[in-house]
Amino acid sequence: MFQRLPDADDAARRTGIRFTLDGLPAQGFAGDTVAAALLALGRDTCRQTAISGSPRGPYCMMGVCFDCLVVIDGVGNRQGCLVRLREGMVVETQAGKREVGR
Amino acid sequence: MTRLDQLNDLKPIYDVVVVGAGPAGMAAATEASAHGLEVLLVDEAASPGGQIFRAITETPLHDRRVLGEDYWKGRAAAETLLASGVHYLPGATVWHLDPVLQFGLSVEGRAAAVTARRAVLATGALERPFPVKGWTLPGVMSAGAAQTLLKASGLVPQGRVVLAGTGPLLWLLASQYVAAGHPPAAILDTTATGNWRRAVGALPAFLRSPYVAKGLRLLLRVRRAVRVVSGVIELSIEAGDGSATEIAFRRGDRPMERMAADHVLLHQGVTPNVNLASAAGCALEWNETQACFRPRTDAWGRSSVAGIAITGDGSGIGGAEIAALRGQLAGIDAACELGRMAPEVRDGLAASVRARIAAYDRGRHFLDLLYRPADHFRLPHDEALACRCEEVTGRHLREVAALGVPGPNQMKSMLRCGMGPCQGRLCGLTVAEVIAAERGVSPAEVGYYRLRSPVKPVTLAEIASMPREERDEKAVLRV
Amino acid sequence: MVETYDVAVLGGGLVGTAIGLGLAGQGLRTAILDEGDVAHRASRGNFALVWVQSKGMGMPRYSSWTRESVRLWPDYAASLREESGIDVSLHQPGGFTLALSEGELERRAANMARLNAQPGFEHLDYEVWDRSQLRQVFPEIGPEVAGAIFCRLDGHVNSLRLFRAQHVVFARRGGAYLPNFQVQEISRLPGGGFRILSGERCIEAGQVVLAAGIGNARLAPMVGLDAPVRPLRGQALVTEKVAPFLSHPIVTLRQTDEGGVMMGDSQEEAGFDEATGLGILGAMADRAARMFPKLGQVNIVRTWSALRVMTKDGFPIYQHSEAAPGAFLTTCHSGVTLAAAHALAVAPMIAGEGLTDALDAFHPRRFHVPAAS
């Protein structure tokens, strides 16, 4: 679980950005990437691998490790650490292999 | 600066295309632009700064003491960029560069081709792989990742936080957490004890370098607030319920010790991010002191491929200050190569830049020697995953190396290591070093993965949208 | 002391290791001499088809030889699994060639009819499927797909695991793998046999088998042979791992057992240049996305190119040297399809009485006979 420093929790950000995570309502803040928003919600696992199904979470936060993969707005295997959170986004756990057409 | 919001705004050709908006890329782009060149600066992030100055224009943290003055120095570089004539394309992935200087890049799932008269690659550094058992568990991330969360979102890890590894960034992150009022539970310091002996010869030069004062202050601040366990020679992270819960470690001859940990933040230095350069055909060479491959470059950053310069940490680790200065050199050289100044003028401009690089270089060697990660942490434990994408363990690598595999490319064919989406960024050095160790030769002899575009995954539709000629179609459909 | 072997195989790719493990299985003390990590290795770039349908135009014997190997493949895969513990994932459900227009389908059907009509061609069963039939098997085909050629004999394997399994079995059978052995000279020993030199290194062997792919062109004259082979570049792309969606291999598109979808069937004369180019990759990506539109949004994670080993007519050469008895030349561009035949049929010939009449059609004397008018 990650928490926001009080310094970062100013009025402008408290308005928040609403999205859904695996079908449930969730909230992040302006400037968050999807991966950061998930970590702030205590979600340290965002996918199961395509090979063994082991749980993984963000490791590098800079777009190189591909462990923060999630389904965003119906598109699988997106790098959560490179995508900015947007109002109304639909985010889902990447459960193993991506499906063609999703 | 002109900010481009979509691919349609791109011109087909630019004088200079700079990849990466960290210290080196910002400096190269603004310098080249200042000499009248039309410059495109492409970056994967949403705002300039690279990893070191991540979110410098938009961080939610206002208390300057948390991130420290070295971070806020990035503001000036970003402001220089904002005031320049550079065309800046954020949020773009560069996935292709070929020897005729054609780039393939993508924004939001659409691709375009752009050609450069000169290419400057400022792709920066990656954190070195840290293949200990459990490094793939949720709850474990790199120290750099944790620092990105702090800079960009003001996030700090809660619960029992353990930092483990070696190198300046580990200590910097600890000091930032201390300054934020969230000191970590412990630092497990894996710096090899023999490194002090090897580094001592470089100490006098370090003491005369700009690094010394701030380095010592930082160490003192952290040591006062955090439990530091030195001489750690073995690490493994254990899981409960799928996430990290405990870190086991060993010092010298002592038995294994255990410590509860909800978050483990690993770091053992950084290495050049060579994928784009290597895929473009730029030759790499092994650097024994820094234990990494880096592109072969000359004093201007020119690579082995005509028209492609590589600058900043992507051409060899030197830190943010050296990166910006090297970037400036690349910008000056591009202006000269494209006829905006005579070589004598270029050399004159470069002289003072080189003098400043030399001042930082003096201190760098000591840091390289002191923080060179130990062999037993660069080589994976048998049970540890070496390739995170294809889930290949240290044991797999050693078993197949015993068949006589000469290098990483045969290993890749046999075990798929390096074939996943990260394209070897998190296993390439590990695999090369395992083979070298098993063969009893240097990684220089073993070599590195052969890399190709796309250096980042890109959709089939995007590749299909790239320009092609009739002969390309004919080579594919033959009936 | 010079290391001595019964037989030295030059080349550690799919052809060399298949023959090498076959020879080691015949009880011969076998060495495989190989280049280093960076070499022209067709075995690292192949498409992994075990394929019959389009082969043999101009040489009927190539089709029947291919079919012999395809029949041997199940036993071969089983023996590899038993000895190495590696499942090479052989699947032979039949394979397709898709056509993106009626015209293309007609041309492909005509080619199949011509293939079968050749004098001496062992009849090959195949079917021409229309679009509606095809949709029963591939519901996701795009609107341009007009139909396909189907042949029940076709299949595929995991060729990277095949490569590793052959190396493992070779080692388990006591074979000696000697990498970084760049052969500079092969000389005949007075009492029979050969001496092979690489810099300071030297081995001796009673027999030598050239299985060095494109490198055979340089090596063959050392043992009185001629290997007129040239490189023909092929490029390929592969996607991220996706859930299974292709039940059968298509000649230009297949899903591996691990989930990646491979595509690629380009042919270019490019010398020894192993570069990939956006133009050809784009053309292949475009055809793939027209066959299966939903693939358009799947990520490509890697591309590569490799050099096919091509003779003038595209068919293999198997030859025993008359000038230097005990030296053999083997070359082909279907190292996967023919692996079973190489291990189970060619190796025993080399270990025994030499190449039999069964391989006579592949003697390079065919290049010196004037073509019939």
Side-chain angles (χ1 to χ4, degrees):
Chain A
M1 180 95 177
F2 279 74
Q3 67 180 108
R4 275 173 222 274
L5 292 174
D7 184 30
D9 198 10
D10 61 27
R13 291 169 173 270
R14 229 171 281 140
T15 51
I17 294 180
R18 285 162 302 176
F19 66 107
T20 67
L21 176 56
D22 289 331
L24 298 173
Q27 186 169 295
F29 293 94
D32 282 351
T33 58
V34 171
L38 265 51
L39 289 166
L41 291 166
R43 260 301 195 102
D44 54 6
T45 299
C46 63
R47 70 171 184 125
Q48 287 89 42
T49 64
I51 297 172
S52 68
S54 329
R56 293 278 175 90
Y59 181 78
C60 78
M61 287 302 291
M62 56 178 278
V64 297
C65 78
F66 292 82
D67 265 328
C68 64
L69 300 177
V70 284
V71 184
I72 298 178
D73 291 337
V75 179
N77 276 358
R78 296 207 63 194
Q79 291 179 272
C81 78
L82 290 181
V83 179
R84 282 282 173 114
L85 192 65
R86 277 196 285 257
E87 185 74 26
M89 230 174 206
V90 178
V91 180
E92 295 162 87
T93 301
Q94 179 68 53
K97 292 183 179 107
R98 184 179 170 188
E99 278 169 41
V100 173
R102 210 182 108 80
Chain B
M1 187 188 82
T2 311
R3 187 189 158 107
L4 309 179
D5 290 318
Q6 49 174 351
L7 289 177
N8 293 348
D9 298 338
L10 284 174
K11 298 182 178 183
I13 185 162
Y14 288 87
D15 290 331
V16 182
V17 174
V18 180
V19 181
M26 289 192 289
T30 49
E31 183 72 28
S33 173
H35 296 290
L37 297 175
E38 193 163 47
V39 179
L40 174 68
L41 173 61
V42 191
D43 191 53
E44 200 162 39
S47 65
Q51 301 310 324
I52 190 104
F53 303 134
R54 179 81 174 234
I56 187 70
T57 57
E58 55 177 6
T59 176
L61 295 180
H62 308 296
D63 180 350
R64 294 171 73 98
R65 289 170 308 173
V66 172
L67 294 173
E69 281 313 307
D70 275 349
Y71 173 74
W72 291 100
K73 280 181 193 162
R75 207 31 136 4
E79 274 161 13
T80 309
L81 173 68
L82 291 173
S84 74
V86 170
H87 297 247
Y88 167 59
L89 180 68
T93 298
V94 176
W95 50 269
H96 175 88
L97 172 60
D98 54 37
V100 298
L101 307 190
Q102 178 182 237
F103 284 91
L105 41 89
S106 292
V107 175
E108 303 254 338
R110 283 187 54 229
V114 167
T115 300
R117 293 197 175 86
R118 282 189 73 83
V120 177
L121 310 186
T123 49
L126 304 173
E127 287 178 273
R128 178 189 295 281
F130 207 140
V132 293
K133 187 164 169 273
W135 74 306
T136 49
L137 289 170
V140 181
M141 62 170 59
S142 73
Q147 200 188 40
T148 292
L149 289 163
L150 179 64
K151 291 169 179 170
S153 290
L155 291 169
V156 291
Q158 261 182 311
R160 297 155 301 184
V161 178
V162 177
L163 275 59
T166 186
L169 176 59
L170 194 75
W171 294 93
L172 176 59
L173 178 67
S175 79
Q176 289 167 331
Y177 282 166
V178 169
H182 292 263
I187 295 177
L188 304 180
D189 184 355
T190 63
T191 307
T193 42
N195 281 9
W196 278 102
R197 189 168 33 79
R198 282 184 281 270
V200 76
L203 187 58
F206 175 71
L207 292 174
R208 287 184 285 114
S209 79
Y211 291 117
V212 67
K214 70 180 182 192
L216 289 175
R217 265 202 313 275
L218 193 144
L219 285 179
L220 279 174
R221 193 185 312 138
V222 172
R223 284 186 174 274
R224 270 201 302 267
V226 183
R227 179 188 171 203
V228 177
V229 179
S230 300
V232 171
I233 58 162
E234 194 178 332
L235 280 178
S236 96
I237 303 152
E238 317 287 337
D241 236 7
S243 289
T245 51
E246 190 175 60
I247 183 162
F249 61 95
R250 198 152 64 83
R251 296 182 262 184
D253 298 334
R254 299 193 202 186
M256 282 302 265
E257 298 168 65
R258 290 174 180 279
M259 195 182 276
D262 305 303
H263 290 276
V264 176
L265 308 179
L266 296 173
H267 179 79
Q268 54 174 348
V270 295
T271 64
N273 181 357
V274 298
N275 282 51
L276 182 61
S278 179
C282 303
L284 303 180
E285 62 188 17
W286 174 253
N287 180 313
E288 180 61 25
T289 306
Q290 296 188 341
C292 63
F293 286 95
R294 58 178 210 119
R296 197 165 69 223
T297 53
D298 71 6
W300 297 102
R302 298 176 189 174
S303 74
S304 65
V305 176
I308 301 179
I310 304 161
T311 190
D313 274 357
S315 65
I317 301 306
E321 294 88 354
I322 290 179
L325 294 165
R326 283 194 202 144
Q328 202 181 341
L329 288 181
I332 295 170
D333 188 47
C336 177
E337 287 293 299
L338 294 173
R340 298 302 165 115
M341 68 176 78
E344 308 81 69
V345 178
R346 173 195 66 180
D347 295 351
L349 285 174
S352 67
V353 181
R354 293 194 195 284
R356 291 173 65 201
I357 291 176
Y360 283 105
D361 259 341
R362 272 205 300 276
R364 193 74 220 173
H365 192 52
F366 174 78
L367 295 175
D368 283 347
L369 293 170
L370 179 61
Y371 292 125
R372 189 175 196 273
D375 294 352
H376 47 269
F377 284 114
R378 301 202 314 281
L379 298 171
H381 189 276
D382 271 349
E383 306 300 321
L385 289 181
C387 168
R388 299 170 66 102
C389 297
E390 296 288 341
E391 303 191 35
V392 178
T393 65
R395 174 174 290 120
H396 291 142
L397 293 177
R398 291 188 179 93
E399 280 172 2
V400 170
L403 293 173
V405 165
N409 293 294
Q410 284 286 82
M411 190 66 92
K412 185 174 173 180
S413 292
M414 296 230 182
L415 285 177
R416 304 189 58 83
C417 49
M419 285 192 173
C422 100
Q423 304 194 352
R425 287 171 178 88
L426 278 91
C427 73
L429 288 171
T430 310
V431 169
E433 292 216 74
V434 167
I435 298 168
E438 298 295 302
R439 286 183 52 197
V441 300
S442 161
E445 195 175 318
V446 162
Y448 197 68
Y449 290 139
R450 171 163 194 172
L451 300 169
R452 294 182 184 271
S453 94
V455 298
K456 281 283 182 86
V458 56
T459 65
L460 188 71
E462 287 172 279
I463 290 187
S465 76
M466 297 305 278
R468 59 176 177 271
E469 297 167 17
E470 199 186 328
R471 66 190 161 118
D472 299 322
E473 310 279 358
K474 284 192 172 148
V476 176
L477 179 66
R478 301 170 308 277
V479 62
Chain C
M1 221 193 84
V2 177
E3 290 171 55
T4 322
Y5 298 91
D6 294 329
V7 55
V9 179
L10 276 50
L14 285 172
V15 176
T17 51
I19 292 173
L21 71 88
L23 293 169
Q26 298 285 317
L28 298 184
R29 294 176 56 253
T30 309
I32 290 177
L33 315 187
D34 201 3
E35 292 188 271
D37 194 46
V38 178
H40 297 298
R41 291 184 180 278
S43 297
R44 292 202 295 230
N46 64 68
F47 207 67
L49 298 174
V50 177
W51 207 253
V52 173
Q53 66 173 264
S54 51
K55 291 176 178 171
M57 190 68 215
M59 189 197 270
R61 174 62 187 138
Y62 183 48
S63 179
S64 60
W65 175 237
T66 295
R67 280 181 256 180
E68 282 172 44
S69 191
V70 163
R71 279 192 293 272
L72 289 170
W73 247 107
D75 283 346
Y76 184 55
S79 75
L80 291 174
R81 184 168 55 237
E82 193 174 311
E83 285 189 58
S84 70
I86 298 168
D87 181 357
V88 299
S89 191
L90 173 71
H91 291 283
Q92 296 178 294
F96 292 87
T97 302
L98 260 57
L100 280 172
S101 68
E102 288 297 338
E104 188 183 335
L105 184 61
E106 279 164 26
R107 290 195 297 278
R108 293 200 184 279
N111 284 348
M112 290 304 293
R114 257 207 317 279
L115 187 69
N116 252 326
Q118 294 178 98
F121 192 89
E122 183 191 339
H123 178 76
L124 177 67
D125 278 330
Y126 70 93
E127 296 159 27
V128 181
W129 286 29
D130 66 18
R131 181 179 164 77
S132 61
Q133 271 175 295
L134 198 55
R135 284 187 62 174
Q136 306 295 313
V137 177
F138 300 121
E140 305 284 1
I141 50 171
E144 290 177 76
V145 178
I149 308 294
F150 175 66
C151 174
R152 280 177 204 286
L153 299 178
D154 292 326
H156 57 165
V157 291
N158 184 311
S159 61
L160 296 178
R161 279 211 297 278
L162 172 64
F163 187 48
R164 175 156 59 100
Q166 291 190 165
H167 270 275
V168 169
V169 170
F170 177 69
R172 296 239 164 117
R173 290 182 178 181
Y177 175 68
L178 309 175
N180 296 309
F181 199 111
Q182 179 79 29
V183 173
Q184 284 159 337
E185 191 188 317
I186 308 170
S187 52
R188 293 177 65 188
L189 295 169
F194 301 86
R195 171 172 291 166
I196 305 167
L197 293 172
S198 169
E200 300 290 293
R201 295 163 78 186
C202 171
I203 69 151
E204 289 180 2
Q207 291 177 294
V208 292
V209 180
L210 307 188
I214 217 75
N216 279 342
R218 181 178 68 86
L219 298 172
M222 298 180 189
V223 288
L225 293 168
D226 180 28
V229 286
R230 70 177 205 284
L232 185 67
R233 184 165 76 183
Q235 302 187 30
L237 315 97
V238 67
T239 70
E240 61 199 342
K241 293 178 172 64
V242 292
F245 95 113
L246 279 184
S247 54
H248 294 65
I250 297 165
V251 70
T252 56
L253 188 79
R254 58 176 286 266
Q255 185 169 26
T256 71
D257 57 313
E258 287 135 345
V261 178
M262 287 171 59
M263 52 207 94
D265 181 36
S266 67
Q267 293 190 2
E268 313 155 76
E269 301 283 349
F272 289 91
D273 180 1
E274 289 185 328
T276 47
L278 278 184
I280 281 181
L281 295 174
M284 294 191 299
D286 180 59
R287 279 184 66 81
R290 283 157 62 203
M291 289 177 185
F292 296 95
K294 283 187 174 172
L295 274 181
Q297 293 314 306
V298 173
N299 289 307
I300 298 297
V301 289
R302 285 179 299 120
T303 68
W304 65 92
S305 85
L307 304 178
R308 293 184 187 85
V309 182
M310 293 303 279
T311 52
K312 215 181 299 174
D313 56 11
F315 301 118
I317 298 172
Y318 303 104
Q319 184 184 10
H320 188 180
S321 176
E322 282 158 32
F328 296 83
L329 169 63
T330 58
T331 186
C332 73
H333 75 92
S334 298
V336 176
T337 301
L338 296 177
H342 289 158
L344 301 178
V346 175
M349 291 183 207
I350 292 170
E353 299 299 308
L355 304 182
T356 67
D357 292 349
L359 296 180
D360 208 40
F362 301 108
H363 194 284
R365 75 173 74 85
R366 69 184 189 265
F367 300 122
H368 307 299
V369 176
S373 55

